Amino acid sequence: VFDVPFSSVAMWKKLVFFINKYFAKRAYGATVINEQLRSVIQMNYGIKNVKTALPSFGPWRFLDANASIVLDRYQLRGKNVLLIVGAIHPRKQQDFAIRVLAEVKKTFPHAVLVVVGGGRQAYINELYLFAESLHVRDDVIFTGVVSDAELKHFYKACEIVICSGDISGFTILEATIMNKMAMYKSYG
């Protein structure tokens, strides 16, 4: 993760797109994990040789998930647990998930948001301040990075998985395997 002092997310996105385009022009091909990404890569970056390869994914790794591990560690018994998984970065839009939490708490006052993933502490602090401005600071829990072995327990402990970034394929798949509702933003 780059620690670039850009004043806006829009400027950051432009830089990322420029860098991606620079490398894409020099690429002989690309491999992506789904057809949607395949067409985006072809259209936006002009790479003609794009293959789709489904990653090896074993649903059996979720069989021994234990919600109590997470519920007890974070004192979440009796809470409505919302979960967001992934790198903590403006592109993943955890601020949207915090806004969702603020709305949900109006109807479900025991709701909490568990944010699993790592990122720059400066950005995490911004998210804390944003949560504070919405009066939900005490209901947002940042866990940091967790191992794959631990992640299954978080899915088991939650009620809803929020996918607010622009790419959430694995998160949606993992939520589905765990019989959890995955809610994601609609684009376009």
Side-chain angles (χ1 to χ4, degrees):
V1 176
F2 297 102
D3 191 9
V4 181
F6 285 106
S7 59
S8 72
V9 173
M11 190 174 227
W12 172 254
K13 286 181 179 181
K14 285 180 185 177
L15 176 66
V16 169
F17 185 77
F18 173 80
I19 292 170
N20 285 343
K21 192 99 171 175
Y22 174 83
F23 285 107
K25 286 181 182 177
R26 288 150 181 79
Y28 296 108
T31 303
V32 296
I33 61 170
N34 64 44
E35 285 298 315
Q36 180 184 2
L37 283 177
R38 182 174 185 254
S39 61
V40 167
I41 296 295
Q42 287 175 325
M43 184 175 61
N44 289 339
Y45 298 107
I47 300 174
K48 295 190 183 350
N49 183 20
V50 180
K51 297 177 183 174
T52 303
L54 293 176
S56 174
F57 189 81
W60 55 86
R61 71 186 177 113
F62 291 94
L63 292 178
D64 62 344
N66 183 348
S68 292
I69 292 171
V70 170
L71 297 175
D72 293 340
R73 181 185 305 159
Y74 296 98
Q75 300 173 353
L76 299 175
R77 292 207 181 269
K79 305 278 186 177
N80 304 105
V81 180
L82 309 178
L83 176 68
I84 183 167
V85 176
I88 299 175
H89 188 277
R91 188 166 179 203
K92 293 291 190 171
Q93 301 178 35
Q94 284 90 0
D95 58 327
F96 176 79
I98 292 170
R99 194 174 294 116
V100 167
L101 172 66
E103 285 299 313
V104 167
K105 285 191 70 63
K106 292 175 183 176
T107 305
F108 299 94
H110 299 293
V112 296
L113 175 65
V114 176
V115 183
V116 174
R120 287 188 7 237
Q121 189 60 47
Y123 184 61
I124 293 170
N125 292 343
E126 286 179 37
L127 292 172
Y128 274 134
L129 288 173
F130 181 64
E132 193 171 308
S133 75
L134 298 176
H135 310 290
V136 294
R137 165 61 186 92
D138 292 339
D139 301 307
V140 178
I141 300 164
F142 289 90
T143 67
V145 176
V146 302
S147 68
D148 280 344
E150 289 178 287
L151 185 58
K152 62 187 169 192
H153 306 307
F154 285 89
Y155 280 110
K156 187 77 170 183
C158 77
E159 294 179 43
I160 295 175
V161 178
I162 299 175
C163 306
S164 52
D166 51 359
I167 300 174
S168 301
F170 281 118
T171 304
I172 294 169
L173 181 60
E174 290 170 337
T176 303
I177 287 170
M178 296 299 293
N179 292 318
K180 303 298 177 173
M181 181 187 303
M183 301 182 73
Y184 53 94
K185 290 175 72 171
S186 174
Y187 294 94

